[in-house]
């Protein structure tokens, strides 16, 4: 990550004593330091020129990242509420979930089934993978809700978390890796 000067720093501190002290001079110093940090050393991160497909992919990659986090969170009982809160977000509601994944499938495979036509093979595989992720995620949420209320064996919880993350990995494996990487960069 390169650094570029955005403005002339000598203009911002030319008339000021920039030594740290107390009182008004200290304020001037802090203002100058803040100005320098935001203008002289402004990080140059290239604007992410995202394709339409990468934009559509963002919600799915966000879900993928969260499922990976949830897989780790469920290993500690103290994190179950946090994992459940993630799974109770609106994006995990069936209609929203399917919509996000359908947009990816439609854009990736070329809209064949989106308008009522026969879906391409890639779309069918993507829809089946989406359904598996949805089922595993619903199972995981139900198991977390149950275990938070009732002490019981956690083997199923771990199995559901693992299988949801694994199913997501298989789904993402259907897509171009460079597109996924670009979407992940955008989420940072």
């Amino acid at each position: 990550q390169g650094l570029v000067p955005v403005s002339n720093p000598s203009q911002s501190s030319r008339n000021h004593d920039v030594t740290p002290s107390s009182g008004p001079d200290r304020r001037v110093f802090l203002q100058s330091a803040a100005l320098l940090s935001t203008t002289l050393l402004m990080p140059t991160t290239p604007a992410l020129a995202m394709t339409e497909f990468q934009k559509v992919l963002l919600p799915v990659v966000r879900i993928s990242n969260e499922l990976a986090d949830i897989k780790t969170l469920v290993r500690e009982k103290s994190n179950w509420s946090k994992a459940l809160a993630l799974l109770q977000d609106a994006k995990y509601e069936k209609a929203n979930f399917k919509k996000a994944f359908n947009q990816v499938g439609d854009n990736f495979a070329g809209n064949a089934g989106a308008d009522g036509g026969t879906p391409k093979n890639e779309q069918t595989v993507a829809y089946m993978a989406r359904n598996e992720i949805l089922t595993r995620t619903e199972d995981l949420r139900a198991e977390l809700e149950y275990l938070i209320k009732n002490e019981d064996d956690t083997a199923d919880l771990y199995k559901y978390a693992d299988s949801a993350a694994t199913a997501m990995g298989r789904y993402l494996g259907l897509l171009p890796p460079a597109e996924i990487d670009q979407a992940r960069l955008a989420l940072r």
Side-chain angles (χ1 to χ4, degrees):
Q1 193 173 19
L3 301 174
V4 293
V6 177
S7 67
N8 186 347
S10 63
Q11 291 174 350
S12 63
S13 61
R14 183 179 328 158
N15 299 323
H16 304 294
D17 176 12
V18 291
T19 58
S21 61
S22 61
D25 289 337
R26 179 170 168 71
R27 260 183 301 184
V28 169
F29 171 77
L30 293 173
Q31 289 170 346
S32 296
L35 181 63
L36 282 173
S37 70
T38 59
T39 60
L40 178 62
L41 302 176
M42 184 89 130
T44 57
T45 32
L48 292 175
M50 296 186 70
T51 66
E52 195 59 37
F53 180 68
Q54 290 164 349
K55 291 176 187 173
V56 167
L57 190 55
L58 285 175
V60 170
V61 170
R62 186 173 288 116
I63 289 171
S64 174
N65 293 347
E66 287 181 3
L67 289 176
D69 291 344
I70 290 166
K71 181 179 173 181
T72 302
L73 288 171
V74 299
R75 303 292 180 201
E76 293 290 327
K77 186 177 182 177
S78 62
N79 292 326
W80 288 358
S81 294
K82 185 176 181 180
L84 182 59
L86 287 170
L87 290 168
Q88 290 174 331
D89 187 80
K91 71 178 146 286
Y92 291 97
E93 293 173 8
K94 187 178 277 191
N96 295 334
F97 193 91
K98 284 185 169 187
K99 180 179 179 185
F101 280 79
N102 288 354
Q103 287 179 328
V104 171
D106 292 347
N107 280 284
F108 174 63
N111 257 353
D115 57 2
T118 303
K120 293 182 180 177
N121 186 47
E122 296 90 356
Q123 266 181 313
T124 301
V125 171
Y127 293 153
M128 288 172 27
R130 174 214 60 201
N131 290 343
E132 182 183 1
I133 299 164
L134 179 59
T135 299
R136 302 293 177 240
T137 303
E138 289 172 337
D139 292 345
L140 176 57
R141 183 177 48 241
E143 187 69 11
L144 263 174
E145 289 169 346
Y146 173 79
L147 287 175
I148 287 173
K149 295 175 186 171
N150 308 292
E151 291 293 321
D152 204 355
D153 183 30
T154 56
D156 285 342
L157 175 65
Y158 302 153
K159 179 179 78 174
Y160 296 145
D162 292 344
S163 64
T166 300
M168 178 57 88
R170 280 194 300 271
Y171 180 86
L172 292 179
L174 300 170
L175 306 175
E179 302 285 351
I180 297 165
D181 292 344
Q182 190 70 21
R184 283 199 167 125
L185 277 174
L187 290 174
R188 289 187 185 164

